[in-house]
Amino acid sequence: MRGALVLGVLLLLSAAVWCHDASPPGKPALIGCRSPDKETFTCWWTPGSPGGLPTVHRLYYHRAESKVVRECPDYTSGGSNSCYFDKSQTTLWVEYELTVVATNALGNATSDTLSIDVMNVVRPYPPKNVVLQVKQSNDNPYLFIGWQSPLNKTKTYGWVTIKYQLRVRPEKSKEWKIYDTDLQRNFSLHTVDPRVTYEVEVRCALDHSTWSEWSSTASLKIPGSSQKDRLLWVLMLVSLIPLLTAVCALVVKRNSVKQCLLPPVPGPKIIGVDPRLLKSGRAEDVVSALFGNQKLANMKARTEEMEEFISVSDSRDWLLPDERLSEKVRSLIIPNGFVFGAKTQSFELEKAADGKEDPVFDRSSSRPGDGRTPLPPAPELQSLSASQDAASRSAGQCPAHSYVDIPTPEDCRTPATPDDYSRVKGVHGEDVLLEEERVPPCPDAQIQLANVASDYSRVAEVNSDATVLLQNLPVCKERQHHDAGWTVGKKPEPPGTEVSTGSSTQLVGSGYVDSVPNFC
Amino acid sequence: MMAKWSKNTKTSASERPRRNLKKEMAQMGTRGQLLALLTVLCSALMCKAVDIPDLLDRASQRSDKLHSLSNMLALELESDLPTIGRVTMPRPAMCHTSSLLTPNDKEQALQVSESTLMSLARSLLKAWQYPVGVLSNSANSLPHQSKGSISNKLQELQEHSRNLEDGLDVLSGKMGPAAQILSTLPYRGGSDLGQDKMSKLINFNFLLSCLRRDSHKIDSFLKVLRCRAANMQPNLC
């Protein structure tokens, strides 16, 4: 008796010692339920605090209309803390009231009631065995995706209608592209790029249930080369061979090729001007360089309207002293080219220092049919100097304008009327007083271009035999020009013989008012 | 036969075609009549067979759309309902259609006859004709933020429901008299869903949950029917 009592006390004490942490179990909580096929469903719960003692969880349920409470038929098929309802236990369109009770030696705890309708918890599992393949269609690769239904039984007899959805993205991209495939368990993606790895995931739904989770990712790389690519490479290589041979040939024969393609281009060279002499910078060299050969026949008028001509005089007064020469030459070397277009011919020719005779200096006129005979060769080419530049022509020196079409500057003081007209000053009875013809003063050491008319002489009278009286046109006051033998008319006359220097004004039956007798 | 044929060949060329033609014409006459009869019979028989699966397919599509809409609506309103409303909401057994006995799982549904399934679907649909109208009318006065979209969905739902009803009437006519039985499920809710805001919301929610269930039933039944009739499309089932 005493032994039993002591044993009992000892046991109680030990139990008290061991179980000093024990408590009734914590309240479990139902997480939810899921029906993967609309035929069965599983519910899960989480246990509450352990309580230290072995706890047993039990699920009880009853259907909405009936009061009969039943216990979960299967605690294992769904995993731990789960309850699996098979086909015979599953009823649709009926509310299930579920509760979980946790029991241990010290007590029990009941969870909150979860009320579910199986139709609302339908959610299939993801599709299985997602397979990727690269296939060819007209030499274009495409991605073929295949998978299997998550349902064990493929025949559902219309109880559920499964539909699939897949998403694809290139490996490095973050955006998925989603495609619906309805009932089909495969899909062909044609918008794929070679040498790119694609990731694919598939999910499904039963009628209008919640979508399943995405399946595990399947990936595949599209191969880089296709038949087309290979063909391209072959073609490229084949086309490169002749190119390479051509390049080799070129390299080997580069000199001859150079000769052929790039013939030596003659440098710009003014005929008669030796550029080497110009470079030296010395006056004599420059002069000789520029005027060495004196083949100035090539200097032509730049424009048709411009006419250049030279009045040649045999006077020696035109020669400039040597000191001014180089200066002039230098200053005019550059504008020479531009001056041709100018109204005044301001150029300078200088006889070569060595006294070479200049050949005929001919300038072609732009006017065809002029009938003008070229100048006979002068004994020596006189220098015709113009001290003015083109800019200073506005100082009042008027160019000759008799037959030249050069528009005269506005400040030209020569009369607008042609030379053969004279201004009427007044009328006194029968006399007509003509204005004194303004004769341009002779410019000092100027080119007497103004008197182009001096090249021509108006025929005043034709005598019986071969004598032509030429009218003396107003010339400058100081000088007289000896025309170099220009005559107009059919009868050639010896130069200068019949040119009258006096005042022989005779009325020529040409209807012109006679010019005022010259005052020279 | 060969002798006969050889005899025939001795006849003149012009005569032969004429004689053959006459024979052929006579033969053709009887043949033609037979063919005509056959085609009529065949079409009469086949019409029925061909027509129904196609009609069922169309009906299933419409019921699918109907259920989708009711599902969306129910979920939309359920999320906004306060807990109090959820507690005081009438039980689903209180739905006016709950008295109708229907198959509740796959096995039962597959065992029930086609006519019964059709009859059930039609009865359910007919029972909701009036309540859907009530819902649609009350949508604008509903104290809910997105009552505009709710109203639109309800109107669409109403249209689908009417179309489906007409389609099922045609179908049931083809399926026989058993399919034409209709169970009356009167709605006793009245035209007004409630006086105050809360009761309006609760009633709205309740009705929509009932509708969701019944539209799911209709959809399931029609899809089972479709599968049964679709012998030419085994991949559908």
Side-chain angles (χ1 to χ4, degrees):
Chain A
M1 249 322 258
R2 223 192 244 174
L5 202 72
V6 166
L7 201 67
V9 168
L10 272 168
L11 272 167
L12 269 169
L13 276 167
S14 60
V17 165
W18 287 334
C19 306
H20 68 274
D21 289 332
S23 64
K27 188 173 157 183
L30 277 160
I31 305 165
C33 305
R34 180 179 186 158
S35 170
D37 49 9
K38 212 168 144 185
E39 289 179 57
T40 65
F41 71 104
T42 313
C43 293
W44 292 270
W45 66 85
T46 51
S49 52
L53 290 164
T55 318
V56 174
H57 290 90
R58 287 199 169 86
L59 189 140
Y60 298 101
Y61 72 95
H62 70 98
R63 295 205 187 99
E65 299 81 47
S66 77
K67 303 275 181 190
V68 179
V69 176
R70 290 178 198 173
E71 197 186 333
C72 172
D74 188 336
Y75 286 106
T76 55
S77 299
S80 60
N81 297 323
S82 74
C83 182
Y84 172 75
F85 295 82
D86 66 4
K87 287 195 284 186
S88 54
Q89 309 286 333
T90 310
T91 311
L92 253 75
W93 306 305
V94 160
E95 296 265 326
Y96 278 76
E97 313 277 340
L98 305 156
T99 44
V100 176
V101 177
T103 316
N104 69 359
L106 293 171
N108 53 22
T110 313
S111 69
D112 291 333
T113 307
L114 180 67
S115 176
I116 59 133
D117 188 335
V118 177
M119 101 175 158
N120 292 329
V121 295
V122 175
R123 189 181 188 195
Y125 290 120
K128 298 188 282 194
N129 298 338
V130 182
V131 166
L132 297 179
Q133 274 182 313
V134 176
K135 293 191 178 175
Q136 295 279 338
S137 130
N138 301 330
D139 287 335
N140 289 325
Y142 69 93
L143 192 64
F144 179 82
I145 307 157
W147 59 87
Q148 284 172 356
S149 164
L151 303 168
N152 293 325
K153 299 171 205 171
T154 49
K155 280 209 170 261
T156 57
Y157 298 100
W159 187 239
V160 286
T161 312
I162 198 162
K163 63 182 179 190
Y164 299 99
Q165 200 181 66
L166 64 94
R167 64 181 188 183
V168 190
R169 73 172 175 192
E171 200 176 32
K172 278 153 196 173
S173 163
K174 283 198 175 176
E175 281 190 21
W176 292 97
K177 223 176 174 185
I178 295 177
Y179 299 93
D180 283 300
T181 65
D182 289 331
L183 281 161
Q184 280 180 313
R185 288 193 292 278
N186 51 57
F187 187 77
S188 298
L189 185 69
H190 291 267
T191 57
V192 286
D193 299 320
R195 292 179 295 278
V196 176
T197 306
Y198 285 92
E199 294 178 333
V200 178
E201 288 178 0
V202 195
R203 68 177 182 182
C204 58
L206 300 172
D207 296 298
H208 288 283
S209 74
T210 322
W211 284 102
S212 72
E213 299 93 347
W214 288 105
S215 69
S216 53
T217 315
S219 57
L220 189 70
K221 188 173 178 179
I222 316 288
S225 66
S226 60
Q227 234 175 8
K228 212 203 270 183
D229 284 339
R230 264 180 262 133
L231 202 71
L232 260 163
W233 276 112
V234 167
L235 276 169
M236 270 178 68
L237 282 166
V238 166
S239 61
L240 268 172
I241 292 165
L243 195 76
L244 278 168
T245 50
V247 167
C248 280
L250 272 171
V251 166
V252 165
K253 306 247 175 171
R254 60 176 175 276
N255 289 323
S256 55
V257 168
K258 242 195 227 176
Q259 282 287 319
C260 179
L261 285 174
L262 308 165
V265 177
K269 194 178 165 196
I270 306 167
I271 295 171
V273 176
D274 192 356
R276 290 172 293 176
L277 289 172
L278 276 173
K279 281 184 194 165
S280 67
R282 291 192 300 156
E284 303 81 22
D285 290 341
V286 168
V287 169
S288 66
L290 282 176
F291 306 114
N293 296 329
Q294 291 298 332
K295 279 203 181 143
L296 297 163
N298 295 333
M299 294 193 211
K300 296 196 176 200
R302 291 283 185 265
T303 61
E304 278 185 1
E305 289 97 289
M306 301 298 169
E307 190 181 3
E308 299 130 357
F309 59 90
I310 307 159
S311 183
V312 179
S313 157
D314 57 356
S315 164
R316 286 197 167 270
D317 298 332
W318 296 106
L319 267 172
L320 281 176
D322 268 316
E323 299 85 29
R324 293 170 64 193
L325 189 79
S326 51
E327 198 181 56
K328 293 276 176 208
V329 166
R330 267 193 227 120
S331 66
L332 289 172
I333 282 171
I334 294 155
N336 243 351
F338 297 101
V339 162
F340 287 155
K343 279 134 193 155
T344 48
Q345 277 70 9
S346 48
F347 64 91
E348 203 168 28
L349 293 172
E350 195 55 39
K351 198 176 109 176
D354 55 3
K356 254 199 250 174
E357 294 270 329
D358 297 323
V360 171
F361 192 139
D362 185 44
R363 271 138 131 268
S364 59
S365 163
S366 59
R367 266 208 212 164
D370 230 342
R372 184 175 159 187
T373 55
L375 282 165
E380 58 198 350
L381 202 70
Q382 303 302 319
S383 65
L384 306 158
S385 60
S387 64
Q388 81 240 43
D389 287 335
S392 64
R393 112 183 83 103
S394 56
Q397 304 304 325
C398 292
H401 55 268
S402 61
Y403 68 88
V404 174
D405 257 353
I406 303 164
T408 59
E410 281 184 71
D411 51 4
C412 180
R413 279 195 249 125
T414 51
T417 56
D419 287 348
D420 36 351
Y421 285 94
S422 302
R423 278 189 183 276
V424 172
K425 195 174 172 185
V427 176
H428 281 284
E430 278 192 326
D431 300 325
V432 177
L433 279 175
L434 296 168
E435 225 178 290
E436 190 186 274
E437 193 178 89
R438 290 193 286 130
V439 176
C442 282
D444 286 328
Q446 297 293 323
I447 302 166
Q448 284 296 329
L449 298 170
N451 288 311
V452 173
S454 59
D455 297 334
Y456 285 94
S457 300
R458 201 160 283 279
V459 173
E461 191 188 348
V462 181
N463 282 346
S464 52
D465 31 330
T467 321
V468 173
L469 272 178
L470 294 170
Q471 200 180 27
N472 200 13
L473 290 163
V475 292
C476 71
K477 289 177 186 173
E478 290 163 49
R479 300 218 188 266
Q480 288 179 19
H481 269 282
H482 298 282
D483 287 313
W486 280 105
T487 52
V488 176
K490 291 174 187 169
K491 297 183 183 173
E493 292 295 314
T497 44
E498 289 296 325
V499 175
S500 67
T501 56
S503 57
S504 58
T505 50
Q506 289 193 34
L507 275 170
V508 181
S510 64
Y512 289 115
V513 171
D514 256 0
S515 55
V516 173
N518 57 350
F519 292 89
C520 286
Chain B
M1 285 296 285
M2 286 292 287
K4 265 189 188 174
W5 192 81
S6 58
K7 265 194 193 169
N8 283 337
T9 53
K10 283 183 186 169
T11 56
S12 66
S14 57
E15 281 181 352
R16 218 189 306 132
R18 249 187 273 145
R19 250 188 245 166
N20 286 344
L21 208 68
K22 275 188 186 168
K23 266 191 191 171
E24 280 172 25
M25 289 281 281
Q27 280 175 358
M28 269 176 72
T30 48
R31 261 192 233 157
Q33 283 169 9
L34 270 169
L35 265 169
L37 262 170
L38 277 168
T39 44
V40 167
L41 278 168
C42 276
S43 55
L45 288 165
M46 279 158 70
C47 254
K48 223 181 174 180
V50 168
D51 224 355
I52 289 176
D54 186 47
L55 284 169
L56 273 169
D57 188 45
R58 273 187 250 169
S60 303
Q61 282 173 26
R62 216 174 263 285
S63 69
D64 185 85
K65 187 74 190 154
L66 188 75
H67 175 60
S68 161
L69 281 164
S70 69
N71 200 31
M72 271 196 280
L73 277 163
L75 285 168
E76 203 174 326
L77 265 109
E78 203 177 70
S79 58
D80 283 344
L81 194 68
T83 329
I84 302 167
R86 239 166 273 179
V87 168
T88 55
M89 199 162 81
R91 309 283 309 172
M94 303 291 284
C95 290
H96 68 286
T97 54
S98 51
S99 59
L100 189 69
L101 285 171
T102 61
N104 284 337
D105 60 23
K106 184 181 174 183
E107 280 175 31
Q108 284 176 23
L110 294 177
Q111 281 166 12
V112 168
S113 70
E114 288 143 22
S115 308
T116 319
L117 282 172
M118 178 55 74
S119 164
L120 288 168
R122 284 183 71 222
S123 308
L124 283 168
L125 201 58
K126 194 134 182 92
W128 276 101
Q129 194 187 31
Y130 180 70
V132 164
V134 170
L135 278 169
S136 188
N137 293 334
S138 315
N140 287 320
S141 56
L142 191 71
H144 196 274
Q145 54 188 18
S146 51
K147 61 184 175 188
S149 92
I150 288 168
S151 175
N152 287 337
K153 285 197 186 94
L154 276 167
Q155 278 177 14
E156 208 185 325
L157 199 147
Q158 203 172 13
E159 202 183 305
H160 282 298
S161 169
R162 282 200 203 118
N163 283 328
L164 185 60
E165 222 181 304
D166 294 338
L168 289 183
D169 284 343
V170 171
L171 257 172
S172 62
K174 293 184 186 284
M175 285 168 77
Q180 309 244 359
I181 300 165
L182 272 178
S183 314
T184 49
L185 304 157
Y187 172 69
R188 297 184 205 284
S191 58
D192 167 37
L193 286 178
Q195 298 301 319
D196 60 305
K197 266 191 186 178
M198 201 50 158
S199 54
K200 255 194 177 161
L201 260 172
I202 293 167
N203 286 332
F204 219 91
N205 263 289
F206 172 64
L207 270 175
L208 279 174
S209 67
C210 289
L211 178 61
R212 176 167 40 155
R213 183 197 294 179
D214 287 337
S215 65
H216 196 226
K217 279 188 187 177
I218 295 164
D219 191 42
S220 302
F221 298 158
L222 286 175
K223 280 176 180 168
V224 168
L225 276 173
R226 173 176 70 168
C227 198
R228 248 189 248 185
N231 299 318
M232 292 166 267
Q233 294 174 35
N235 58 339
L236 201 66
C237 304

